Amino acid sequence: MAPKVEMVGKVTRSRYDELVAESLDMVEEDTRCQFGLGDAALELEPLRGHGGHLPLDEGDQGVEESLRLFADEIGLSFYTVRTHRWVAAQWPVEHRQTGVSWEVHRILASVPDRFELIGNPPLSERTGRRRWSAEVAKKLVGWKTEEVLVPVTVQEKVEAIRELARDDEVVAAQVATDFLRRPEVAFKAMRDPEARENVNEAQFEQAELEDDEFEEDYDNTFGTDEDGDRFDDPARIVHSWRKSMEFSDLIAVCQGFIAGAARLVPKLRGHEFTATQTKLLENHLEKIRATADWIETAAATGQVDLDEQLAQLLRGQ
C-alpha cells in the first residue's frame, strides 16, 4: 500500500514548502521596494517634525507640496507616500531586519525599543518557529487583530460583552438586569450623566403605562428568567444605552459604504468618465483612504486627533 502523501490545502507538503520559500523571497523583495520608496521620499523631504501619528512637518506647506508632487509622479496616494517616508525614518538602514516584512516594521515603528525587539521574534504557537507576523506584531503593540483574543484589559472585556449582546435584546436585558442588581455597579453607572438621564426618562415613560398593559407587553417580549421570576425592566434603559454606542454607528457606516460600492461599481461597466468626473472621483477616493487610515489609527492606539492636513483634506481645501 502506497504511503499517504501529506497535503497542505490542495498541494503536497513538498510543494507547499516550495511555495513558502518562493513567497518569502518575494516578501523580502517587496520589503526592499517599500523601504526604497520611503527612502526616496525621505531624501526628497527629510523628516524634521516629531510627535503624533505619521507627522508631517508642521507649518511647512512646502513639504506637503513636494510629497504630493512626488506621489502624483509615481502614481500613488499622498498618504501612502507619507506613511512610507515616516516608516523609513523610524528604521535607519542599519536597524532594518532581514527576513521581516515591511508590514511588521510599520507596526513596530512606534515602539521605543523596536531596534532590540525586532531581532528577537516570538515563538509562533502555530508553526513552532520564531518568526514575526503582522498578527503577532499587532498583539504586541496592543492593536486589534483579526484573530479572536481572550479579553484581558477592562476595555477588551467591555467590548466582548457588548459584542455578545449586540443583536439580542433579551441577552442585553438579562445582563443589564444582573449588573444593576449589584449596588456598587448601579452606583457607578448612575454617576454617568447620560446613563442617569436615560434611566430617569425610562422611569417616566414606564410610569405612564397602565400596570396591567405594561406587564402583558413585557411578558410577551421578555418572559421570565430560569427561576420563573420576572425581570426588572432594563429593556428601555438598554435600548437607550445602545443608541450611544458610537462603535456600532461606525461599523454601520463602514458596512453601508461597502454595500453601496458593491451595488454601484458593477453598474459602471462600459461607462466612460469625463476628465472632471475622474478628478472628482480621485479626490473622494483620497479622502476615503485618508479617513480609513485615521480610523485604523484611532482603533489601534486610541488617538483620535485629526491632524491639520487630514482636516483640510476632508474640508475640501
Side-chain angles (χ1 to χ4, degrees):
M1 182 176 180
K4 184 177 181 180
V5 178
E6 182 182 359
M7 302 291 291
V8 179
K10 302 300 182 183
V11 300
T12 63
R13 180 71 195 194
S14 61
R15 178 53 182 160
Y16 171 79
D17 291 338
E18 291 176 357
L19 292 174
V20 169
E22 293 170 2
S23 298
L24 286 174
D25 289 340
M26 289 187 284
V27 170
E28 184 66 25
E29 181 62 29
D30 178 69
T31 299
R32 286 195 292 270
C33 291
Q34 302 269 29
F35 271 122
L37 174 60
D39 290 336
L42 199 57
E43 180 179 348
L44 176 65
E45 289 290 353
L47 196 68
R48 297 184 292 276
H50 298 279
H53 178 69
L54 306 185
L56 187 67
D57 307 67
E58 296 182 3
D60 191 346
Q61 293 301 316
V63 171
E64 180 177 352
E65 292 175 2
S66 299
L67 293 181
R68 284 191 179 277
L69 175 62
F70 181 61
D72 288 341
E73 292 281 5
I74 63 177
L76 294 177
S77 161
F78 161 71
Y79 283 90
T80 297
V81 170
R82 189 180 75 158
T83 298
H84 283 65
R85 170 178 175 254
W86 180 78
V87 173
Q90 309 312 308
W91 292 99
V93 175
E94 63 272 18
H95 291 294
R96 297 171 189 175
Q97 190 73 20
T98 302
V100 178
S101 70
W102 184 87
E103 177 70 3
V104 170
H105 282 87
R106 181 184 73 87
I107 295 168
L108 298 180
S110 297
V111 178
D113 59 345
R114 58 187 177 278
F115 300 150
E116 178 182 355
L117 181 66
I118 200 168
N120 297 282
L123 181 66
S124 170
E125 296 180 359
R126 182 175 298 157
T127 65
R129 292 177 291 182
R130 293 190 175 276
R131 183 182 296 277
W132 281 107
S133 70
E135 291 297 313
V136 170
K138 286 179 180 180
K139 289 180 185 179
L140 188 143
V141 300
W143 290 22
K144 296 202 185 316
T145 71
E146 297 177 356
E147 296 182 359
V148 178
L149 302 178
V150 176
V152 176
T153 67
V154 172
Q155 186 60 34
E156 288 174 347
K157 293 178 180 179
V158 170
E159 290 297 334
I161 293 173
R162 285 178 176 174
E163 185 62 31
L164 289 172
R166 185 176 307 283
D167 299 318
D168 195 323
E169 292 288 349
V170 176
V171 172
Q174 176 75 67
V175 171
T177 300
D178 291 345
F179 286 171
L180 291 175
R181 283 174 178 160
R182 295 158 58 178
E184 68 280 7
V185 173
F187 177 78
K188 291 181 179 179
M190 292 305 99
R191 294 178 64 181
D192 181 276
E194 185 176 358
R196 187 167 59 250
E197 180 180 351
N198 288 336
V199 170
N200 291 337
E201 181 181 352
Q203 289 176 330
F204 282 120
E205 290 180 359
Q206 180 179 341
E208 294 175 0
L209 299 175
E210 294 294 332
D211 289 344
D212 55 346
E213 179 183 353
F214 172 77
E215 290 178 5
E216 180 180 355
D217 290 343
Y218 192 73
D219 281 342
N220 291 337
T221 304
F222 295 102
T224 58
D225 61 16
E226 295 178 355
D227 298 325
D229 298 326
R230 184 186 307 279
F231 295 152
D232 294 335
D233 178 33
R236 297 181 185 278
I237 302 173
V238 173
H239 182 67
S240 298
W241 285 349
R242 285 168 62 86
K243 289 182 180 179
S244 64
M245 290 184 182
E246 290 82 0
F247 178 76
S248 297
D249 294 338
L250 181 60
I251 293 299
V253 168
C254 294
Q255 291 176 334
F257 171 77
I258 294 171
R263 177 174 57 87
L264 293 173
V265 172
K267 296 180 180 181
L268 299 178
R269 186 187 304 276
H271 182 81
E272 295 183 2
F273 292 102
T274 65
T276 301
Q277 289 175 327
T278 300
K279 183 61 178 177
L280 180 62
L281 181 60
E282 289 175 350
N283 290 339
H284 282 290
L285 289 175
E286 185 175 11
K287 291 180 182 180
I288 291 172
R289 294 188 187 98
T291 302
D293 181 63
W294 179 33
I295 293 173
E296 181 182 15
T297 300
T301 68
Q303 298 178 3
V304 298
D305 295 338
L306 189 65
D307 67 42
E308 183 58 29
Q309 285 72 34
L310 178 56
Q312 291 179 359
L313 175 66
L314 297 181
R315 289 196 298 265
Q317 299 179 356

